[in-house]
Amino acid sequence: MNWIQTKTTFLRRFSPDARYLIGVSGGRDSVALLRCMVDLGYRKLVVCHLDHQLRGRSSGVDARFVEKLAAKYDVDFELGSTNVSALSKKKKMSIETAAREARYSFFAGVAKRRRCHTIFLAHHADDLVETFLINLFRGAAMTGLAAMREVSKRQVHDVDLTIVRPLLSTWRDEIDLYVREHRLKFREDASNKNLTPLRNRVRCRVIPHVERELGRKIRMNIWRTARIAAEEESWIDAQLKVSLNRDGNLNVKELRVLPVALQRRTILKWLRAQDVPEIGFEAIERVRSLVDTAARVAKVNLAQDRHVRRRAGKLFIDL
């Protein structure tokens, strides 16, 4: 039995006969995922690779490697290119955030062009643990602690993406073993050894230090907590009944009668749907202040020169 099948059952929802996108960077995780999906009979895949223009000539070599890999498995290939460094400076965000935004924008473009809105990504159990800790350190609420989900929805521009992560129950060392056993070639990203990005520091320093100090492994316990949070978040999301107007604006009157906790979650869900970046507690509270009947202001600021206004009983994003 394929090792993905031993880890999850939710893939049954995704017929092998349908067309899907799959993000492939060329690293071991995405190379392993591609091989597994092909072995499972997913033959109508579209391999999506974005050149971030961050690694000089290596970026071009990565792209050619992934293109040859797609040809080897006889699946379609889509290549994109974005100057992530320039995007980071323009939007005043970290390289990591800019890269993530660029990738999803690329995925959305391919999804729209190919008329295929489901994409498989190779995030695994260690990624889930690291994301949980990063969000915890940043002061995220339960929504952030849910980290990643096996199946989630994300609206990018005017495209609704379904994101599928089959490896969220698979650990990095299991992937390494699979790669060795199948003698898979992959591209090693030298930036993984750079300790400037927070994720790399959490992976290489924080988690090993905590495990040494506590004298126990913590990854599995954190992984379980993140999974529980994700399941609870999915249930709570289903309880959000506030309706949007036809133009995607929030109804103030409906929002006002909700408990504070649901007000915050509704606003968060709405801002995410509007593709608003850097949504933290302070931003949500600023928006929530517009719902107060005694509020004198009708406009609050968000990141990147965006605003939320209240007018005629509704909240809307003002660019």
Side-chain angles (χ1 to χ4, degrees), residues 172-235:
R172 184 178 289 116
D173 57 1
E174 294 177 295
I175 294 174
D176 289 344
L177 179 60
Y178 179 86
V179 168
R180 289 196 300 271
E181 287 181 344
H182 289 78
R183 299 180 181 180
L184 301 181
K185 295 181 179 179
F186 60 90
R187 291 284 295 167
E188 192 71 68
D189 187 349
S191 65
N192 289 335
K193 299 178 181 179
N194 178 6
L195 295 181
T196 299
L198 177 58
R199 179 175 294 276
N200 289 357
R201 279 178 281 152
V202 169
R203 176 187 306 148
C204 301
R205 288 185 173 176
V206 174
I207 294 177
H209 175 74
V210 172
E211 290 186 333
R212 284 194 302 270
E213 290 297 310
L214 295 182
R216 67 173 70 177
K217 300 293 185 181
I218 63 171
R219 289 176 173 84
M220 179 57 77
N221 288 339
I222 295 174
W223 179 86
R224 289 190 185 114
T225 302
R227 294 300 297 269
I228 291 170
E231 290 161 2
E232 292 181 352
E233 282 300 306
S234 295
W235 179 82

Side-chain angles (χ1 to χ4, degrees), residues 128 132 135 141-149 226-227 229-231 233:
L128 180 63
F132 178 95
N135 290 345
M142 284 299 293
T143 304
L145 297 184
M148 303 173 185
R149 307 181 194 185
R227 294 300 297 269
E231 290 161 2
E233 282 300 306

Side-chain angles (χ1 to χ4, degrees), residues 34 38 42-47 69-71 73-77:
L34 176 59
V38 170
Y42 290 82
R43 299 291 179 175
K44 295 182 180 179
L45 296 173
V46 180
V47 170
L69 197 62
Y73 292 128
D74 193 26
V75 296
D76 290 347
F77 176 69

Side-chain angles (χ1 to χ4, degrees), residues 152-296:
S152 60
K153 302 285 186 179
R154 180 171 184 150
Q155 186 176 61
V156 184
H157 309 312
D158 59 341
V159 177
D160 292 318
L161 282 177
T162 297
I163 302 165
V164 186
R165 299 181 173 95
L167 302 182
L168 275 192
S169 298
T170 305
W171 297 91
R172 184 178 289 116
D173 57 1
E174 294 177 295
I175 294 174
D176 289 344
L177 179 60
Y178 179 86
V179 168
R180 289 196 300 271
E181 287 181 344
H182 289 78
R183 299 180 181 180
L184 301 181
K185 295 181 179 179
F186 60 90
R187 291 284 295 167
E188 192 71 68
D189 187 349
S191 65
N192 289 335
K193 299 178 181 179
N194 178 6
L195 295 181
T196 299
L198 177 58
R199 179 175 294 276
N200 289 357
R201 279 178 281 152
V202 169
R203 176 187 306 148
C204 301
R205 288 185 173 176
V206 174
I207 294 177
H209 175 74
V210 172
E211 290 186 333
R212 284 194 302 270
E213 290 297 310
L214 295 182
R216 67 173 70 177
K217 300 293 185 181
I218 63 171
R219 289 176 173 84
M220 179 57 77
N221 288 339
I222 295 174
W223 179 86
R224 289 190 185 114
T225 302
R227 294 300 297 269
I228 291 170
E231 290 161 2
E232 292 181 352
E233 282 300 306
S234 295
W235 179 82
I236 292 173
D237 278 350
Q239 310 308 307
L240 299 180
K241 303 299 183 182
V242 173
S243 59
L244 299 179
N245 296 322
R246 289 183 179 179
D247 50 8
N249 300 323
L250 268 182
N251 186 303
V252 173
K253 187 177 293 185
E254 290 186 22
L255 188 60
R256 186 175 289 151
V257 299
L258 292 178
V260 171
L262 286 184
Q263 287 182 7
R264 289 173 176 152
R265 290 173 185 272
T266 302
I267 291 170
L268 173 62
K269 190 173 184 179
W270 175 63
L271 292 177
R272 283 180 172 171
Q274 303 296 316
D275 214 17
V276 174
E278 301 174 36
I279 310 169
F281 178 79
E282 293 80 6
I284 292 173
E285 288 301 281
R286 286 197 297 272
V287 175
R288 203 170 66 82
S289 70
L290 298 176
V291 179
D292 192 336
T293 55
R296 296 184 178 181

